[in-house]
Amino acid sequence: MDTDALDRWKAREIARLGVEGFNRQSSETLQTGHKVHSLIEDYLLSLHSKNYNFTPEEFIATRDHSPASNPSTFDRAMRLWDSVSHVLARVTRVCVVESSVHHKTLEYAGTIDCIVELDGVLRIIDWKTSKRRKTIFDLYDNPLQIAAYTGALYTDDRFPQEVLPTRGSVVVMYDDAPADVFDFSKDSLEDNWKLW
């Protein structure tokens, strides 16, 4: 990742919001991301248990809608849920949800968001949020991260062959638009692996 660009962005935001405003915005962004990730995780675990056969819309209707301590965080999490619902509705099988992975040869580890069958293809998915629309060029190191997770999965004995993905996806959720699914083929993952 271009850390210089990140530093420039942070400096611009602090100039615009002040240090306190920047810290508040950063905290709200983290809280919102955690909330929507938790909702997605709960939904996928419910699908995985086979005791649940609701659409994403029906699922969210069963959830506690109390805004807790920060109503703006809750409201944004609900908008992000609306953004990603059309993707979740296309999940037909859940293999792994929020799990650590370890590459036993290269000795690195990470936490994957999930391995699911989406549109009939088994894939590792990384969920992201954004306030602005992204293109594939705005994903920075995300494809590399997916490739590294996939490489680790193939050496981690805890994951049986039948759950090993052949594709990867970065799903970016927005406040005001349907989520984008950026798909990476096996060849693309291998190309990113070589970069890593």
Side-chain angles (χ1 to χ4, degrees), residues 12-26:
R12 279 193 313 271
E13 291 298 296
I14 288 173
R16 186 173 68 87
L17 301 170
V19 172
E20 186 176 311
F22 176 78
N23 289 338
R24 183 174 45 255
Q25 177 180 283
S26 296

Side-chain angles (χ1 to χ4, degrees), residues 2-20:
D2 183 355
T3 57
D4 290 338
L6 187 59
D7 290 340
R8 286 190 304 273
W9 169 82
K10 183 177 177 181
R12 279 193 313 271
E13 291 298 296
I14 288 173
R16 186 173 68 87
L17 301 170
V19 172
E20 186 176 311

Side-chain angles (χ1 to χ4, degrees), residues 96-173:
V96 177
V97 177
E98 198 73 25
S99 179
S100 64
V101 63
H102 177 259
H103 195 294
K104 66 181 176 185
T105 308
L106 299 177
E107 291 296 321
Y108 67 85
T111 302
I112 59 172
D113 287 343
C114 65
I115 300 171
V116 298
E117 191 171 288
L118 177 70
D119 299 331
V121 178
L122 196 59
R123 62 185 81 209
I124 182 172
I125 294 182
D126 199 26
W127 307 105
K128 302 291 183 191
T129 65
S130 180
K131 291 185 178 180
R132 66 175 183 82
R133 293 302 293 261
K134 301 279 187 182
T135 68
I136 198 160
F137 302 107
D138 297 319
L139 296 180
Y140 302 107
D141 287 345
N142 296 141
L144 192 62
Q145 181 182 14
I146 293 286
Y149 287 158
T150 303
L153 282 165
Y154 277 81
T155 72
D156 193 323
D157 296 332
R158 295 174 299 148
F159 298 94
Q161 185 71 31
E162 61 268 12
V163 304
L164 296 178
T166 55
R167 299 180 81 86
S169 297
V170 175
V171 178
V172 183
M173 299 167 261

